[in-house]
Amino acid sequence: MKRAQEILLQLLQPLLGEVRCRRLLTRVAAPTDLRAERGTDASRALLAHALNLLLLEDLMERVPLARAYVEESFRSGRPIQFDHGALRTVKWPDCGALPNGEAAITRILLPLGYRHAADYPLPKLAMTGRAYCHIDYPSQLAQFFVSELHPEQFSAPFQQAVTRVLSTGREPLSATAQSLLQQLAERGSLPLTAALTLLPEMRACFACHHEPPRLADYELLLNESKEMAWIATEGQAYNHGTDRVADVVALADAQKAIGRPMKDAVEVSRSGRVLQTAYRACQVERLFVDTAGHLLARQVPGSFFEFITRHNTTDPITGKETIDLSFDAANATGIFKMTAG
């Protein structure tokens, strides 16, 4: 029987190398209950945690400020507590070979043991956000906040540009990976060899899978929806990862004091129990197609890193105090502005 940490190392080292793998595992607090697992197979929870760690590592590669913060937190004696990650999708009939909307991502999340927790309408953005929470360790494994944009609420030229961008979408999952996801959904675990096959393909789903957009299309999208313009260059890449901290207001003040590009104000939920802020998105270089069909590079908003404080609430069924794992539509709308440029 292997300990969870042993299996986790076996899953991550082929993808990250030993040095990066061990560094990552020391920078992120391990879910307490997950560490107690024993077995020879990789459970759905263990695979979910492995995927979350890979996505966080990928984010830190693209967002230097995230890496700097995580390293500073580690040096201060505190590994981060990974609260949730977020990504964006488009509810549109022509996404090329990709499933429509959030199905491109939920086909990964559901077999991993995630379940839909709540909807968060975002009317100002013409989007809907949905939270996915893990069945086995809801307060310990990072949640996913998956948003869908609704192009039908925009102009006809906008919709045509969406089709031109998304219709080139490619399928990142092989037939083998799709079969393994079905097995995982049915069994709740996979043999280690199968898990090693599936994990890199799941990771690959969180990326941009369409061709570089025409510059004219990008500018048209940007004029009506900065969120759709972001999707045009970043696809289903991790939009942000989040550290759960004790006092997000104090953290924001400290980060501003050292010159970090922070959101102006902390977002506070209607309940007062969920507080969020974030770094502004870093700038990344992406390729576009000009009117002559040539590729050119431009600086556009990329991803970012977020911070959240969650206070306790009373469980309506048990009457016990429990951490508030909910999100807030107004908070989310404010956080979306981090990639507005």
Side-chain angles (χ1 to χ4, degrees):
M1 300 288 281
K2 295 180 180 179
R3 295 181 303 168
Q5 188 77 353
E6 294 177 77
I7 298 175
L8 196 59
L9 282 167
Q10 288 181 277
L11 289 171
L12 295 175
Q13 281 188 188
L15 299 172
L16 298 177
E18 184 176 359
V19 173
R20 286 176 69 196
C21 176
R22 292 188 181 277
R23 181 184 65 191
L24 181 61
L25 290 174
T26 61
R27 269 61 172 175
V28 183
T32 305
D33 294 334
L34 184 63
R35 284 186 297 180
E37 287 193 359
R38 298 288 189 275
T40 56
D41 290 355
S43 70
R44 63 187 184 185
L46 194 56
L47 268 170
H49 186 51
L51 177 62
N52 288 336
L53 289 172
L54 287 173
L55 295 178
L56 180 62
E57 177 68 15
D58 291 345
L59 180 81
M60 290 191 290
E61 286 293 299
R62 294 182 287 112
V63 183
L65 265 182
R67 175 82 70 192
Y69 169 80
V70 170
E71 291 298 323
E72 290 164 4
S73 185
F74 172 73
R75 288 196 296 270
S76 73
R78 178 189 171 273
I80 70 164
Q81 187 169 3
F82 195 8
D83 183 87
H84 72 274
L87 58 141
R88 302 173 180 180
T89 66
V90 186
K91 186 69 173 176
W92 197 238
D94 192 351
C95 293
L98 280 173
N100 184 351
E102 69 162 6
I105 298 301
T106 57
R107 61 181 176 159
I108 306 296
L109 301 185
L110 298 180
L112 285 172
Y114 282 93
R115 291 296 179 267
H116 173 247
D119 290 341
Y120 297 94
L122 308 170
K124 292 182 179 179
L125 306 175
M127 302 180 82
T128 300
R130 297 184 181 92
Y132 286 84
C133 191
H134 203 273
I135 294 173
D136 302 324
Y137 309 118
S139 65
Q140 297 181 40
L141 283 175
Q143 295 188 72
F144 282 81
F145 191 87
V146 184
S147 57
E148 280 186 335
L149 185 131
H150 306 293
E152 71 277 6
Q153 298 183 31
F154 296 90
S155 70
F158 180 96
Q159 295 173 37
Q160 293 159 8
V162 169
T163 296
R164 286 192 292 270
V165 170
L166 298 184
S167 62
T168 63
R170 300 175 297 275
E171 171 60 89
L173 285 179
S174 67
T176 297
Q178 293 179 50
S179 175
L180 289 174
L181 282 169
Q182 181 63 35
Q183 293 177 43
L184 180 61
E186 294 169 354
R187 295 179 48 193
S189 65
L190 286 176
L192 186 57
T193 53
L196 284 165
T197 298
L198 179 60
L199 185 57
E201 293 206 39
M202 291 195 295
R203 177 195 196 183
C205 290
F206 296 81
C208 185
H209 295 291
H210 53 256
E211 296 298 318
R214 302 177 189 178
L215 182 58
D217 284 339
Y218 176 80
E219 291 174 340
L220 190 159
L221 296 173
L222 184 64
N223 184 55
E224 294 193 39
S225 168
K226 291 179 172 60
E227 289 68 40
M228 183 63 223
W230 191 92
I231 296 167
T233 63
E234 309 306 299
Q236 280 77 56
Y238 230 32
N239 176 259
H240 67 264
T242 309
D243 183 21
R244 188 188 301 170
V245 300
D247 187 345
V248 76
V249 175
L251 181 141
D253 289 342
Q255 292 294 301
K256 288 177 182 177
I258 60 174
R260 296 277 167 82
M262 296 291 294
K263 189 178 185 302
D264 292 336
V266 171
E267 299 287 342
V268 182
S269 66
R270 291 180 64 184
S271 70
R273 293 189 297 267
V274 181
L275 295 83
Q276 295 167 262
T277 193
Y279 292 137
R280 297 187 182 278
C282 67
Q283 293 292 301
V284 294
E285 189 174 273
R286 295 291 182 258
L287 293 176
F288 297 88
V289 180
D290 66 15
T291 54
H294 301 139
L295 290 175
L296 72 159
R298 274 201 174 184
Q299 293 280 320
V300 297
S303 298
F304 61 97
F305 198 71
E306 185 191 28
F307 311 92
I308 191 168
T309 293
R310 295 186 179 277
H311 295 301
N312 283 352
T313 185
T314 302
D315 188 298
I317 298 175
T318 66
K320 295 181 179 179
E321 285 286 301
T322 182
I323 189 169
D324 190 341
L325 294 174
S326 69
F327 292 89
D328 181 89
N331 279 19
T333 300
I335 294 295
F336 266 85
K337 295 177 182 177
M338 295 302 92
T339 58

